[in-house]
Structures are given as structure tokens and as C-alpha cells.
Amino acid sequence: MNPMEEMRREEEKLLRTDRLPHVWCPGCGIGITLNAFLRAFIRSKMDPNKLVVVSGIGCTGRAAGYVNVDSFHTTHGRGIPFAVGIKFARPDLNVVVFSGDGDLFAIGGNHFVNAARRNHDLLIIAVNNFTYGMTGGQHGPTTPTGAYTTTTPYGNPDRPFNIPHLAISLGAPYVARWTTYHVNQLQNSIYHALHKKGFRVIEVISQCPTVYGRRNDMKTPLEMMHYFQKNSVRKDDASFEELELKYNGKIVVGVFRDIQGIPTYEERYEDIIRRARK
Amino acid sequence: MKPGYYFWSGDIAAAEGAIAAGCRFYAGYPITPSSEIAERMALRLPQEGGKFIEMEDEIGSIAAIIGASWTGEKVMTATAGPGISLMNENIGLAAMTEVPIVVVNAMRGAPSTGLPTLIGQGDLMQAKWGSHGSYEIISLYPDSVQETFDLMIDAFNYAEKYRVPVMFLIDAMLAHMYEKIYVPPEDEIVRIERKRPTTPPEETLIYKADDDLIPPMPRIGEGYKIHASGLTHNEKGYPELTPQAQEKLVRRLNDKIRKHAEEIWKVEEYKTEDADVIVVAMGSESRSVRLAVDLARREGIKAGMLRLITIWPFPYKFIEKYNVPYIVAEINYGQIYHKVREYTQDVELLPKMGGEIHKPDEVLRAIRRMVQ
């Protein structure tokens, strides 16, 4: 069997193929991200029975519904605290939160901030498509200033989150950003992050041609991919300003933080149990 | 805890009752008058090898216990006032995905920030109707520190048995009141564990209910490839957004409680056998009502009290059982009164807006009015 065919078969084992076709639009970037995640996981040879995928609500929130492992589609914004409960109760499990920008950073922002601060041992895959896709393309916490959406018909007056900078400021030990154009880098990054501990954040800039691109001069998936291709620059030591995402501006990608040795909340609590039982 | 006598508040008894019931996971956010439950759990759970975490808010707290419950742990959170309002969204998630959780709500004066340190009973309807949609939960409400401990064990047993959120109501008075309490020996505590699938993963539909309408619950990490979603789902747990799937699922979620209601009902019938008038009361309020009933009896009025311990599912057969005038004494402007009125025409409300319970004299005057 050729390697591609073998990978496809391995991936199918990790997908609930009886749920296909999925809800995502043709040309959506979430499938690319999910694919990168599954391939990275297969390469890691980790036990799928110990993998848990948790999502919130939204287009990306549907990811949990397609992975053939213990998987939870929770309430809007609450994927992280739900995952915190699982991981804290059973630290031997490999818990991944796979969700979108609005879910993780607007309604779920408080949970992101505090879970990062406590350094829970979770891998966060944050798909950033600049918009609320499921509800029809309203502006969200990552929509670039000036962008057109259904709730910013005259351009977005709001300022977006600088997600890598936010995560770094909270002490997250692994912080990376890629786009869906960077399929190999993204896959490698997820592979490496799977082998690390602590609150790991990978932001994936993803195309939503259906409700975002078409209002911002990128009607087709290809136009959005061209934008990612032409405007992405790798710079691992990027400054705050460089990491900011400007409307139709440069996208700085890379691994901005990758350190080891910060105890996780789960590890610190083991010590608490020891002290309490003395 | 070692068996024996202790001097505890309602909050401490709630925490210790939970530990005795097998609870080993607590996530919470401090709020008056429930904070001492969190403090007790922070102290005691790690001694038992359990886990305590103080979350960033009430929403995160209840989300964390739902996640933890899927690992097989018995879980609890506690809150009050504004905190319970924040938790309601995920109470709906736990009801929809059938996750055993126990939520303590120490009722205080409300609405809004209200009277944080003083009693209220304004959340009796919210306990049942707090989240959006039509669903059933179980709600229990003790009236003493001892009963808080004892009933907490039932609360966990119900949550596990019926795979349902249990809203454990106490009130600000009970939460902070200290009384003597007896902790029974380990072998006298009856614990019920949730049903687990008996079939291997490949032959198991994780939301296929047994004849009792309750599906066995797998644990994360055992290969069952659980999928749980707050969306309307089929027996596989997969979203199925049709009226037919909705009809089947939501009807079962309600019926699994309604059909077992009589097993869940707990009511204290105090001097009701020969009563000419019955006062319905709950929680700390019933302590005043009990005295008022005794005072009325001394005057020759045959008064009695129905103390609802199970609030939801509503124990309506106990209301139907007596053909006498009723008074509903509650610390709100009429909640359980409306439930009682569903089953009898002859009922009067004795309200109190909050901050204190009725004085026995106030209840006695209402009893006298009723028999005149």
C-alpha cells in the first residue's frame, strides 16, 4: 500500500465516517486543520483511547463531532473549563480543546485567560477565521480593524486580539501560529505540542470564504489561500506589533514560545494531595 | 469523617455529606453564603485523595464538574444567588447529556445581589425551570444540619441513579447555622453508583436507554468513543436535528424522572392525619411553621405541616391526599403556592420577601384566619 493510502486508512479510523459529509462549507479551512491534527496524532503513535477532544460551539466547535475518540461538544465558550475538569480528574488523559476564535476568546475568553494562567496540561487548537461563521459572518474578537462583516457594514471599528501575545503574557509554555496554507508546519507543530506539557496554544489562521472572504474581496477559497501564501512571514522572535493582525496585512507565523519545566496545575496538585495526607 | 458527634454548620454538613456520598471532585467559585462549602472541600478533598479547584467563575465551575463526571467521578459545586443564575446554561447541558452532578444552591435574598447574608427562597421555581427548554431535574431541600448531611447522600445517589443534575437547595440560615450532628459509621452509608455499559464498545450505543429509560454511562478513556453533545442527539450520541429525534429524546429525559417520581419524593407529614388546616413549608422556614402548628394545637386548632423535602419532581400526591385548606409559607412572593394551587383550590399564600423567616406568630395568625 502506498503511504498516502495508508495514512488515509489510519485517518479514517480516527473519524466518525458515518457522520460524513460534514457541515463545513466547500473550501473551509477547518477540515485542513482537523486533517493536520489527525496526521500529527497518528504520527505520535499515542493511544487513541486516551485522547479526548473537547469543542465549544460554532463551525470549529463541530470538530469534536467528527473525531472517533471520546469527544464532547459542549456549550458556547465552555470547552476549556469542561476540559479542565476532565484533565484535572484524570491527568493520564491526553486532552485537546479544538475550537474557534469567537468561542475561545470572546464568550470563553475568561476561561482561556485563567486556564493559561494556571497552566493546565491542555493543547488548545484555536481556529481563527476572523468571523462568526455559524451565525452568518458577524464580527468577532479576532476580526481585523476595518474588515467588513454583517455587523460591521461600514468596516470594523473594533480591535482584534493578538492571540500569541496574549498566550505568552499568560505564561503559556508553547505558543505558535500558522495558517491553513502551512499544512506541513502546522502538522509538525501539533506533533511537537502533543509531546509537550502545559497550556499549549496553536492559533491557525483559516479561511472562511463563504461569509468572511466574500465581503472582503476574497470570494473564493483560493483567493484566501493566496492571501495567506503571499502575506505570511515566519519570525519566531516577533514583537507585539509584528504579531498583530492588520486588515489585509502581513501574517507573522512561527513558534513564538517553546519552553519546558513549568509545572502544570495537575502536577502542582499532586503535591497538595501529598501535603494534605501527611 | 470518623463516626460520632460534631458541631457543624449546614455548609460544612453539605461538604461532609458529599464526601461521605463518595464525591471526590469539586470545582467552585466563592459566593456568600455557600463559600464555606468550598473552603471545607479545599481542606478535606485532598485528604481523601480527591480534587478541589477554585475556578474563574461559576460558569467554569459547573463546566468543569460536568467534564469530570464523565471520567466516572462523583462531582459537586456550590453557589448562591447570582452564581446559580450563571450556572443555569450548563445545568441544561448536564440534563441534555445526562451527566450526574450535584449543585448546591444556598438561597439568599434576591433578586440580583439582594441580601447576600440573609435567607431567601426565591429560587424554588428556578431550580426546575432555570435553563432553557423543557426538562426535569431533581431538587431536594433539608431543614436542619443533620438532614443536610443525610440528604446529601440521597442527592448523590439520585444523580447517579437517574443520570441527572440534582439541585440541592439550602438557604442562608441553614448554611450558616451550627447544630449538633451525628455522622454514622461507614457501613451504614448506602451509596449508589451509576450504571456502566456491560457490552463491549463496538456493541454499545452510548445513549440507548434500558427499560428504566436510563442509559448506562461509559467512562472516558475506556474505548467507548463517547460522543456527547448538547444538540438534540440519537442513541449514538450523534446530533440529529429533527422533530422526531427531539420528541424521542426530550420525552425520555422528562419521563425518566416523572416515571420514578414516587421513588424520589420525600415529604415530612407533621401532625397532618387529623388536620383541619395544613401549612406547606420548606427548609428553615419549616422550623418556625412547626412551632406555629404546635401553638395552634394548644389553642385547639388541628393544624399540620407538610414539609416538602423533595421540591422537584413536585410531590403533588401529598397535596391531593388531604382535603383541607392549605397555607403555603415561603420566603418569596408566591412560587410553590402556584404549584400547590394546581392541585387544590383552597390555598392561601403567606409570603415574605426575604431576609428572615416568618415568626411563629405570623404563621399562627394565618392558621387562625384559615379556620375561622
Side-chain angles (χ1 to χ4, degrees):
Chain A
M1 200 189 307
N2 73 50
M4 286 299 283
E5 181 63 13
E6 200 180 321
M7 180 56 90
R8 193 180 67 82
R9 288 196 182 188
E10 288 299 309
E11 273 191 87
E12 280 187 0
K13 284 187 209 158
L14 288 174
L15 283 169
R16 298 183 192 267
T17 49
D18 53 345
R19 283 213 58 209
L20 300 178
H22 53 65
V23 296
W24 298 318
C25 302
C28 173
I30 299 168
I32 297 172
T33 313
L34 183 60
N35 198 26
F37 168 65
L38 294 179
R39 289 182 178 206
F41 184 78
I42 291 162
R43 224 175 97 199
S44 77
K45 298 196 163 51
M46 289 172 168
D47 180 1
N49 285 340
K50 300 289 176 214
L51 175 65
V52 187
V53 176
V54 182
S55 294
I57 295 291
C59 291
T60 314
R62 292 301 187 93
Y66 299 120
V67 288
N68 197 21
V69 298
D70 290 332
S71 51
F72 298 89
H73 181 223
T74 65
T75 41
H76 198 16
R78 317 306 167 204
I80 286 179
F82 194 101
V84 163
I86 295 170
K87 182 70 194 185
F88 185 35
R90 279 279 307 278
D92 62 307
L93 297 170
N94 185 3
V95 186
V96 177
V97 176
F98 198 112
S99 218
D101 51 296
D103 185 77
L104 290 168
F105 301 105
I107 191 166
N110 193 27
H111 308 305
F112 178 88
V113 166
N114 284 279
R117 174 179 61 77
R118 291 192 297 258
N119 196 30
H120 286 290
D121 189 19
L122 299 173
L123 171 58
I124 313 292
I125 298 178
V127 176
N128 176 4
N129 58 8
F130 305 128
T131 190
Y132 286 103
M134 185 70 85
T135 46
Q138 296 78 18
H139 87 285
T142 56
T143 309
T145 307
Y148 294 93
T149 71
T150 54
T151 49
T152 54
Y154 309 108
N156 182 20
D158 205 338
R159 200 168 73 140
F161 268 121
N162 182 333
I163 292 168
H165 195 269
L166 173 67
I168 291 166
S169 78
L170 298 165
Y174 186 91
V175 180
R177 175 198 277 156
W178 304 102
T179 79
T180 47
Y181 175 75
H182 301 85
V183 280
N184 289 322
Q185 293 93 328
L186 174 60
Q187 200 195 114
N188 285 335
S189 194
I190 296 172
Y191 176 81
H192 287 296
L194 278 169
H195 291 85
K196 296 185 183 293
K197 276 189 173 177
F199 197 81
R200 295 145 286 160
V201 181
I202 301 178
E203 180 187 13
V204 187
I205 307 292
S206 173
Q207 73 278 20
C208 176
T210 307
V211 298
Y212 181 80
R214 72 172 156 137
R215 296 192 172 89
N216 292 281
D217 299 323
M218 294 177 284
K219 279 199 177 63
T220 65
L222 207 56
E223 283 171 277
M224 294 210 75
M225 289 299 249
H226 277 307
Y227 164 59
F228 296 163
Q229 180 196 15
K230 282 185 198 148
N231 288 276
S232 297
V233 191
R234 175 155 191 170
K235 193 174 181 203
D236 288 3
D237 62 348
S239 67
F240 172 82
E241 287 76 15
E242 289 168 321
L243 286 171
E244 281 196 306
L245 292 172
K246 302 255 165 52
Y247 187 44
N248 293 336
K250 289 236 167 301
I251 301 169
V252 172
V253 296
V255 180
F256 311 116
R257 196 160 196 245
D258 184 5
I259 57 165
Q260 287 188 313
I262 305 174
T264 64
Y265 185 89
E266 290 71 28
E267 288 168 340
R268 279 179 274 130
Y269 203 83
E270 281 173 28
D271 191 43
I272 298 297
I273 292 178
R274 272 193 295 275
R275 283 190 223 174
R277 289 189 138 172
K278 246 186 216 167
Chain B
M1 291 298 286
K2 280 186 200 146
Y5 290 95
Y6 295 90
F7 189 57
W8 283 347
S9 67
D11 275 347
I12 295 174
E16 289 294 345
I19 292 169
C23 173
R24 291 295 177 272
F25 190 98
Y26 181 98
Y29 186 79
I31 186 166
T32 305
S34 74
S35 306
E36 290 85 345
I37 298 176
E39 291 172 355
R40 186 74 175 189
M41 287 306 224
L43 178 76
R44 290 276 293 116
L45 275 178
Q47 293 173 355
E48 304 288 337
K51 309 277 173 77
F52 167 89
I53 184 167
E54 190 168 311
M55 294 292 287
E56 53 274 11
D57 58 24
E58 289 86 351
I59 305 171
S61 302
I62 188 165
I65 65 166
I66 297 171
S69 186
W70 276 108
T71 71
E73 292 291 340
K74 291 186 182 176
V75 302
M76 184 169 95
T77 188
T79 190
I84 197 69
S85 292
L86 286 171
M87 286 190 183
N88 270 306
E89 183 201 21
N90 275 342
I91 286 170
L93 176 69
M96 188 67 152
T97 52
E98 301 177 73
V99 181
I101 60 171
V102 174
V103 177
V104 181
N105 176 7
M107 290 185 288
R108 59 190 227 183
S112 191
T113 314
L115 299 166
T117 59
L118 300 174
I119 188 173
Q121 291 182 327
D123 310 347
L124 299 169
M125 295 306 264
Q126 189 208 34
K128 163 76 178 76
W129 302 104
S131 202
H132 49 286
S134 188
Y135 61 97
E136 292 277 352
I137 55 131
I138 294 171
S139 188
L140 307 174
Y141 189 1
D143 77 336
S144 68
V145 172
Q146 182 72 56
E147 195 175 60
T148 300
F149 181 91
D150 298 339
L151 197 60
M152 187 58 86
I153 293 158
D154 294 311
F156 274 90
N157 288 345
Y158 287 162
E160 292 287 316
K161 184 173 179 187
Y162 301 107
R163 284 189 66 177
V164 73
V166 173
M167 178 80 76
F168 194 89
L169 298 168
I170 54 174
D171 53 56
M173 194 169 282
L174 182 51
H176 285 164
M177 178 174 64
Y178 277 75
E179 288 184 310
K180 189 168 102 170
I181 173 175
Y182 174 68
V183 173
E186 184 60 24
D187 58 5
E188 283 177 23
I189 295 172
V190 178
R191 297 187 190 90
I192 296 176
E193 309 295 331
R194 65 189 74 166
K195 282 191 290 185
R196 300 202 182 285
T198 49
T199 46
E202 57 279 8
E203 292 168 27
T204 305
L205 290 172
I206 68 149
Y207 276 105
K208 188 171 167 41
D210 295 336
D211 291 341
D212 61 3
L213 304 179
I214 303 152
M217 186 170 179
R219 251 196 309 225
I220 294 178
E222 292 181 341
Y224 281 89
K225 303 182 196 305
I226 299 161
H227 183 60
S229 171
L231 286 168
T232 296
H233 45 268
N234 58 25
E235 289 180 339
K236 274 184 166 176
Y238 290 4
E240 193 175 313
L241 310 184
T242 64
Q244 293 75 23
Q246 174 80 359
E247 174 72 25
K248 193 173 175 195
L249 175 63
V250 177
R251 188 177 286 278
R252 180 175 66 73
L253 292 181
N254 284 275
D255 285 349
K256 76 172 178 179
I257 303 303
R258 291 184 188 185
K259 291 198 170 154
H260 296 105
E262 297 198 27
E263 296 167 23
I264 300 165
W265 286 343
K266 289 177 188 289
V267 171
E268 182 194 352
E269 296 168 283
Y270 181 69
K271 299 186 179 171
T272 51
E273 318 82 64
D274 62 340
D276 292 327
V277 55
I278 292 176
V279 186
V280 176
M282 298 143 284
S284 296
E285 170 80 356
S286 66
R287 299 168 73 110
S288 192
V289 170
R290 191 183 308 271
L291 181 55
V293 164
D294 291 346
L295 293 171
R297 291 248 165 197
R298 249 185 255 171
E299 293 180 9
I301 303 170
K302 286 182 187 165
M305 173 176 73
L306 261 185
R307 181 169 70 88
L308 309 184
I309 302 167
T310 301
I311 310 298
W312 305 107
F314 187 73
Y316 64 90
K317 283 196 180 163
F318 289 86
I319 307 296
E320 289 176 333
K321 185 171 157 187
Y322 301 96
N323 190 22
V324 297
Y326 280 98
I327 299 165
V328 181
E330 50 186 340
I331 318 296
N332 59 53
Y333 212 170
Q335 293 196 4
I336 292 302
Y337 161 73
H338 293 286
K339 252 343 255 188
V340 174
R341 215 171 62 160
E342 256 183 77
Y343 302 98
T344 172
Q345 290 305 306
D346 198 1
V347 53
E348 188 178 285
L349 170 67
L350 184 66
K352 172 85 79 178
M353 292 313 116
E356 59 179 6
I357 56 173
H358 283 100
K359 292 176 181 65
D361 274 356
E362 294 174 89
V363 183
L364 182 59
R365 280 200 297 274
I367 291 171
R368 286 187 196 131
R369 269 202 311 276
M370 214 59 180
V371 292
Q372 257 165 25

